[in-house]
Amino acid sequence: MGGTEQNYVNEAFDTNWIAPLGPNVNAFEQAIKDELENAVHVAALSSGTAAIHLGLELLGVGKGDDVICQSFTFSASANPIAYLGAAPIFIDSERDTWNMSPELLRKAIESGIKEGKKPKAIIAVHLYGMPYKVAEIRAVADEFEIPILEDSAEALGSSYNNIACGTFGDIGVLSFNGNKIITTSGGGALVSKNKSYAERAVFLATQARDDAPHYQHSNIGYNYRMSNVLAGIGRGQMEVLKDRVSARRANHQYYLETLNQFEEIEFLSEPKGYFSNRWLSCILTPSFEKREKLRLALLEENVESRPLWKPLHLQPIFKTSKQFVDGTSASLFDRGLCLPSGSNLTNEELERVVATIKNVLS
């Protein structure tokens, strides 16, 4: 916490405004708009997953549709596809950013069209805060007239050519879960330059109640709106977003400078024009065995690290889903490790992590 969050939470209690609407919600949405710029509209919701769910519904995804989704990501990127009765088609990564391969994306779309079923939407993810290949993915999407849902859950504070992540898709998604760059404890947001999308999201997120003096519903709605209390936390967190990004990037720079001497360690660099918030600092090792040796050595020192995301096309729940893969994300999963990356890590803690890794590699 940055320190001012409590003031906004107290304001919600002092005014007895606890419900999932109110001044903090409005102000939090405005703070997000001010941060992202690019004439976006924002709907604060209960989670990033809820935002993906509503986003897909707004894009017209329904039962029996196909939705293209990046495979190398957390399951929340794809689960809402199943909520709507649609089917995911998983796309492997490219090596430059670890995100969706534009070449495999094109291959998947052309395959679907050949079979008489053009995908309804594309879910592209900025993984670990690194922007995906925005221009290339957009070019393919526009060529085939397929909308993009931009999963920017891990990328608040990241940018591509000085334009904020979260503003490139037809609909963007943010997350404020407890592990993100800033947090509202639990929460998310739907972002779009299309005002009607944001307004429709708010309507659906508040149980889709019609404009009537009684409770009347012509649409299925959801209880997805963010509360005024949590939005108060968000207002305070937005005030320290730049500090949090600076801290995460400093963590990454420390790891880079202290471990770059080892040929066995690879880092993901920022291509020209890319700015990552470095939500998590990740390394690649030569093999699964080396990755596990490092992970277990850190665990012995009571230091938590984790493998990179297990690709969704390898997950049991999605084993029968269509996939267009070339082994890239599977290799990243086998060899990759997420190092401690919290914004409040001390120099002593960072030194302890690096000392343990050096001891293994030496």
Side-chain angles (χ1 to χ4, degrees), residues 161-216:
N161 289 338
N162 296 315
I163 299 174
C165 289
T167 67
F168 296 110
D170 297 81
I171 292 174
V173 168
L174 302 175
S175 172
F176 308 112
N177 191 32
N179 64 349
K180 295 303 188 293
I181 196 86
I182 63 168
T183 183
T184 55
S185 177
L190 183 144
V191 177
S192 182
K193 294 177 184 177
N194 185 331
K195 186 178 181 182
S196 66
Y197 279 159
E199 291 176 341
R200 182 70 175 172
V202 170
F203 170 72
L204 293 173
T206 48
Q207 300 290 15
R209 180 184 174 186
D210 294 343
D211 186 13
H214 52 277
Y215 286 94
Q216 179 164 305

Side-chain angles (χ1 to χ4, degrees), residues 20 26 38 43 92 94 103-104 113 127 130 165-166 181 275 289:
N26 297 335
N38 303 309
D92 217 331
E94 38 76 14
E103 290 76 19
L104 292 176
I113 292 174
L127 199 72
M130 181 63 73
C165 289
I181 196 86
F275 179 87
E289 290 75 19

Side-chain angles (χ1 to χ4, degrees), residues 19 27 34 46 68 95 127 181 192 199 225 247 255 315 329 332:
D34 293 343
S46 58
I68 287 178
R95 303 284 290 181
L127 199 72
I181 196 86
S192 182
E199 291 176 341
R225 201 70 163 114
Y255 287 133
Q315 297 287 352
S329 60
L332 293 170

Side-chain angles (χ1 to χ4, degrees), residues 28-29 32-33 36 40-59 149-150 152 166-167 169-176 187-202 204-205 224-226:
F28 183 41
E29 290 174 340
I32 296 170
K33 289 171 66 174
L36 298 180
V40 296
H41 304 276
V42 177
L45 303 172
S46 58
S47 69
T49 310
I52 294 174
H53 184 190
L54 291 181
L56 290 174
E57 186 165 324
L58 291 169
L59 294 176
L149 192 154
E150 177 192 0
S152 195
T167 67
D170 297 81
I171 292 174
V173 168
L174 302 175
S175 172
F176 308 112
L190 183 144
V191 177
S192 182
K193 294 177 184 177
N194 185 331
K195 186 178 181 182
S196 66
Y197 279 159
E199 291 176 341
R200 182 70 175 172
V202 170
L204 293 173
Y224 280 173
R225 201 70 163 114
M226 180 179 285

